[in-house]
């Protein structure tokens, strides 16, 4: 089985990029692949604790927890998070915070990289 | 190089797609990119569909989310699931671009 | 005397939350008189690729667990909100009238109102304020 | 002097829409106009406490405070904020949280509305 | 109706601009919209500049932020400051659109 | 043996943080060997409207109080990072070579490297991974 790194740069709520990335990660894990998930830019908001679930928008916090329990490394960019007022204590349990070198290192060693660099 | 390109938008950013070598190219229509596979703007197919030697894929759930059925998809385009996308990524394309 | 706000939806659905925010902001007009001494009448117009929001049988609930833009539009029709759809854009994108959302199953008295862009432009002149989503 | 309502829907960091909106509000206030500033969608992240200042990106928190002290009503959309895990205690002092009817009511009564509805 | 339209992007969304009645229209190039006033793609002016009866404005600071000088701006376009934008909004245009 | 990552910048500056994030991610490659047993070599390529990032004399610091994309590019050149700029796009947008950023005042030994798109495509084949911003 292979390793895939997914980098997500688009923001939470309403951006279907987030839904796509999470669903792709779930599918890859179910097929036995190893997955890294990196949030940078506005996507760091996905890592924040206390998101309220609305029926209008996809609510991904629980699914991220499940991914993490299934062995997916989920990491948010430290600087991007701090710039948005999201510090270590604000992050969902099980999601880590690292600087960008973590992502590029993991990506370099992955079999596949899908970098979703939108706004 | 077998290159997979994800097109997630309905706006025409064909210019970059046009330049990429056709041979071995796979184009994945996902999210609003699926409109390229079902909409006939001004009665014409999307310019993105005109490349030779390209394999086209469109994500079924993204088509159906937007009110279309998979039977409406252009015949050049393969309807795929998330499972198919993962397998194609792993087996058929070495590198991936999200435009 | 009521004020009117025209909400113009120019972007397709399911790319960002933009079109949904337009609809929820339009709905909020119905209670705006809590804050000011007059009523606020919302009108919604779909133009450009925004007309893609109006296609029925959206299945986002099934595939992504989120309420569809279709359901939002139906709720608005059932609330008697005036909603215009630009004819030229429907034609350009080859979307036939029978594909458009309606809320008759919810007892709505009105349908989406397909009009020429000149009618949208008249609404832009008539309204007191405009918000372009 | 006139009243202008600015609605901002694009997100914090790196989106020059935020810079534009804040600079326009500052200019209008300096000219004696009355200004309302509404954050909805991803722009609610602008209202969050604890944003760290980086030289790379515009840091608007202090300027929002100054605007508010100069009489600008700054309000973030309640539902949009909650969906992103930003609750009343997380918001910069002086910025209020209301539902959308506040904005449409203020806009209806304004002389000018500039609604920046981007993604 | 005197309508002010803010164009903040360099991509060509002329189609909506084309439809808006020219008379009394003001087009404000801000942020990346200023590229319309300085870039000659394939040797041609931006299509957005071709409308008759329109007043064009470009924000000086947004031009200079991107490495251009105000002397490079197309002669049809008025160079403006934030102060000018506020005055124009208040005095010359009743309604405003941010495209 | 080093791995290489190609960072393709296809969007203009000052619209979103995207191009800057590309550059900061590329810089992070220089310390990636903290995490893995080999070095990671970054290469940056500006294509499409991304070439607009390469125009010198950007004054964002003066007008918006933020470090310019120009300064980021100069820092990279001074760190000897290979940076390609697509010739066809410079031509299309009528950007003359003398308008391009350089970091000679910072003692950089290399300049932005203007190349045909075919060279960018070769780099896409050569690299181990690709990130498209």
């Amino acid at each position: 089985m292979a390793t895939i790194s997914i980098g997500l740069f688009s923001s939470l709520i309403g951006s279907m990029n987030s839904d796509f990335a999470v669903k792709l990660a779930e599918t890859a894990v179910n097929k036995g692949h190893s997955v890294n998930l990196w949030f940078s830019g506005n996507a760091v908001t996905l890592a924040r604790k206390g998101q309220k679930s609305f029926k209008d928008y996809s609510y991904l916090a629980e699914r991220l927890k499940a991914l993490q329990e299934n062995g997916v490394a989920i990491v948010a960019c430290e600087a991007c998070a701090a710039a948005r007022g999201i510090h270590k204590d604000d992050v969902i349990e099980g999601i880590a915070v690292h600087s960008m070198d973590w992502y590029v290192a993991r990506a370099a060693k992955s079999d596949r990289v899908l970098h979703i660099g939108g706004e | 190089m077998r290159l997979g390109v994800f097109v997630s938008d309905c706006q025409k950013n064909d210019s970059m797609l046009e330049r990429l070598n056709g041979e071995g190219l796979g184009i994945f229509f996902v999210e609003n990119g699926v409109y390229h596979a079902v909409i006939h703007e001004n009665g014409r197919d999307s310019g993105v569909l005109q490349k030779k030697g390209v394999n086209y894929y469109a994500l079924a759930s993204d088509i159906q989310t937007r009110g279309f059925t998979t039977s409406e998809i252009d015949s050049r385009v393969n309807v795929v699931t998330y499972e198919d996308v993962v397998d194609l990524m792993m087996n058929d394309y070495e590198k991936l671009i999200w435009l | 005397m009521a004020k009117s706000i025209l909400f113009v939806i120019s972007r397709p659905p399911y790319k960002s939350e933009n079109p949904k925010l337009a609809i929820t902001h339009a709905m909020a007009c119905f209670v705006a008189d809590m804050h000011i001494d007059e009523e606020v009448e919302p009108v919604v117009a779909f133009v450009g690729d925004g007309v893609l929001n109006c296609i029925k049988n959206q299945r986002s609930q099934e595939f992504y667990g989120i309420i569809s833009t279709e359901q939002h539009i139906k709720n608005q029709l059932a609330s008697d909100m005036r909603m215009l759809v630009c004819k030229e854009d429907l034609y350009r994108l080859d979307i036939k009238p029978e594909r458009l959302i309606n809320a008759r199953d919810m007892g709505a008295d009105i349908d989406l109102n397909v009009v020429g862009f000149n009618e949208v432009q008249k609404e832009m002149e008539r309204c007191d304020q405009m918000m372009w989503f």
Side-chain angles (χ1 to χ4, degrees), chain A, chain B, chain C:
Chain A
M1 291 289 99
T3 299
I4 172 168
S5 289
I6 302 173
L8 182 66
F9 287 66
S10 341
S11 51
L12 184 54
I13 299 299
S15 162
M16 298 303 285
N17 286 357
S18 312
D19 297 86
F20 180 90
V22 169
K23 204 142 181 166
L24 190 76
E26 290 168 348
T27 310
V29 166
N30 288 342
K31 284 182 171 281
H33 299 297
S34 172
V35 177
N36 300 311
L37 193 50
W38 167 253
F39 298 144
S40 190
N42 283 322
V44 297
T45 53
L46 275 166
R48 198 173 144 62
K49 260 187 209 161
Q51 294 168 39
K52 188 174 167 191
S53 167
F54 287 89
K55 284 176 286 184
D56 283 21
Y57 306 122
S58 50
Y59 171 69
L60 300 170
E62 299 300 329
R63 288 164 64 191
L64 290 178
K65 273 187 216 163
L67 278 174
Q68 187 263 331
E69 284 159 14
N70 280 315
V72 174
I74 308 181
V75 178
C77 170
E78 190 168 14
C80 297
R84 288 163 181 78
I86 302 172
H87 304 284
K88 281 199 172 138
D89 291 345
D90 302 315
V91 167
I92 294 169
E93 211 179 324
I95 298 187
V97 173
H98 286 313
S99 49
M100 296 170 185
D101 39 81
W102 179 88
Y103 171 54
V104 294
R106 288 290 182 115
K109 290 295 237 184
S110 294
D111 299 295
R112 294 290 181 275
V113 173
L114 181 61
H115 177 90
I116 303 177
E119 285 143 28
Chain B
M1 171 179 53
R2 290 188 59 84
L3 180 66
V5 181
F6 286 79
V7 174
S8 67
D9 204 4
C10 58
Q11 289 184 343
K12 289 158 224 73
N13 43 6
D14 328 356
S15 77
M16 197 53 67
L17 274 177
E18 259 167 41
R19 289 193 221 173
L20 295 168
N21 282 337
E23 219 45 59
L25 197 66
I27 295 181
F28 292 80
F29 297 121
V30 299
E31 302 184 26
N32 281 354
V34 299
Y35 289 121
H36 287 290
V38 285
I39 288 280
H40 301 90
E41 188 165 349
N42 296 318
R44 286 189 296 271
D45 298 342
S46 166
V48 175
L49 293 177
Q50 313 296 340
K51 278 178 88 80
K52 296 262 183 284
V54 171
N55 287 307
Y56 294 100
Y57 312 97
L59 194 55
S61 53
D62 285 352
I63 291 159
Q64 292 164 331
T65 287
R66 286 159 184 76
F68 292 89
T69 63
T70 52
S71 64
E72 296 178 81
I73 293 178
D74 189 283
S75 60
R76 285 161 285 192
V77 180
N78 301 293
V79 179
V80 291
T81 63
Y82 274 95
E83 284 72 21
D84 299 328
V85 172
V86 169
D87 290 344
L88 287 161
M89 281 171 62
M90 296 304 181
N91 304 328
D92 291 27
Y93 299 98
E94 298 157 62
K95 286 175 191 155
L96 306 161
I97 292 178
W98 184 283
L99 271 196
Chain C
M1 214 197 84
K3 297 276 188 190
S4 69
I5 302 181
L6 174 65
F7 297 83
V8 181
I9 299 178
S10 66
R11 293 179 169 86
Y14 305 113
K15 160 77 180 167
S16 73
E17 63 186 324
N18 231 287
K20 278 193 182 175
L21 284 173
I23 295 172
T24 45
H25 278 73
M27 287 295 257
C29 290
F30 291 135
V31 293
D33 59 354
M34 292 195 310
H35 302 275
I36 50 175
D37 53 0
E38 52 193 329
E39 299 201 330
V40 179
E41 179 217 1
V43 181
V44 171
F46 296 93
V47 301
D49 290 347
V51 302
L52 294 166
N53 287 281
C54 302
I55 296 174
K56 67 182 174 188
N57 299 327
Q58 296 175 21
R59 294 165 65 185
S60 63
Q61 183 71 55
E62 185 179 341
F63 295 112
Y64 290 103
I66 53 178
I67 288 186
S68 67
T69 305
E70 177 173 16
Q71 191 59 50
H72 281 261
I73 291 174
K74 290 176 76 161
N75 293 344
Q76 287 199 308
L77 289 172
S79 310
D80 289 333
M81 195 183 295
R82 276 182 62 213
M83 305 185 86
L84 313 176
V85 186
C86 178
K87 184 162 56 179
E88 289 88 343
D89 288 307
L90 290 175
Y91 183 80
R92 174 175 64 87
L93 298 173
D94 196 23
I95 302 168
K96 302 281 188 291
E98 60 268 26
R99 308 236 20 181
L100 296 183
I101 292 164
N102 71 65
R104 287 172 220 150
D105 61 333
M106 294 170 71
D109 295 321
I110 57 166
D111 280 342
L112 290 170
N113 188 8
V114 177
V115 299
F117 187 74
N118 63 323
E119 291 292 319
V120 176
Q121 190 124 350
K122 272 185 206 156
E123 198 62 48
M124 288 166 61
E125 292 184 27
R126 192 191 70 85
C127 69
D128 293 297
Q129 302 294 354
M130 190 161 28
M131 298 186 182
W132 197 280
F133 283 83

